[in-house]
């Protein structure tokens, strides 16, 4: 059990300090760097909230794709990358890869760049 403050509470305090105390009192390059720091803190908060579920879903999708449902996510990614590098020409497998990887890409965008995660694959793939 983690004592308080939680990681999210610490990050909230840091973000509020940067935005409420530092940002109004700095200019130029320091202002820009403070904005970047505040945005990074917000990104870390989203990662704390969203990454565990996203990683679990990615592990499940890749495990199903590669027939290794109990494998670790890093191992699945390594295996998939190796298989794709070999390029055996199996277009059905490549399509299944797209279907398995695309939701994970949206999950990662939801963490790093919210708003970009609403991309609609139908615009890209007309079938």
């Amino acid at each position: 059990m983690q004592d308080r403050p939680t990681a999210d509470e610490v990050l909230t305090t840091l973000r509020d300090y940067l935005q409420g105390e530092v940002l109004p009192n700095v200019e130029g390059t320091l202002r820009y760097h403070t904005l970047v720091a505040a945005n990074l803190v917000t990104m870390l908060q989203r990662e704390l909230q969203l990454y565990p579920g996203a990683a679990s879903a990615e592990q499940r999708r890749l495990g199903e794709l590669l027939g290794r449902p109990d494998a670790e996510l890093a191992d699945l990614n390594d295996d998939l990358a190796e298989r794709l590098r070999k390029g055996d020409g199996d277009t059905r497998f490549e399509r299944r890869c797209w279907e398995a990887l695309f939701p994970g890409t949206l999950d990662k965008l939801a963490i790093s760049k919210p708003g970009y995660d609403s991309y609609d694959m139908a615009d890209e793939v007309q079938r």
Side-chain angles (χ1 to χ4, degrees):
M1 173 182 259
Q2 175 65 34
D3 294 329
R4 299 201 57 192
T6 65
D8 187 57
E9 290 169 338
V10 170
L11 290 170
T12 296
T13 300
L14 177 57
R15 185 196 64 224
D16 291 350
Y17 171 73
L18 290 170
Q19 291 176 339
E21 299 293 327
V22 178
L23 199 56
N25 296 301
V26 295
E27 296 177 357
T29 303
L30 187 54
R31 180 175 175 78
Y32 172 76
H33 286 247
T34 302
L35 283 168
V36 170
N39 285 334
L40 289 172
V41 168
T42 302
M43 187 186 312
L44 286 172
Q45 286 183 292
R46 286 192 303 266
E47 185 165 342
L48 279 172
Q49 295 168 353
L50 301 175
Y51 179 77
S56 178
E58 182 180 11
Q59 187 276 335
R60 180 189 48 75
R61 285 190 306 271
L62 295 183
E64 289 173 4
L65 175 68
L66 297 171
R68 298 181 54 213
D70 297 324
E72 295 292 324
L73 181 55
D75 294 334
L76 291 167
N77 275 298
D78 290 345
D79 291 351
L80 180 58
E82 182 61 30
R83 182 161 176 189
L84 290 172
R85 269 193 292 275
K86 288 180 182 176
D88 62 8
D90 184 348
T91 56
R92 286 186 304 150
F93 177 76
E94 290 172 2
R95 176 67 183 171
R96 288 179 48 227
C97 288
W98 172 263
E99 293 166 356
L101 293 171
F102 188 76
T105 301
L106 294 180
D107 289 343
K108 291 172 185 174
L109 285 170
I111 292 170
S112 64
K113 193 73 170 162
Y116 285 73
D117 58 316
S118 62
Y119 176 82
D120 185 359
M121 186 181 352
D123 293 340
E124 204 62 41
V125 180
Q126 301 294 325
R127 293 186 192 226

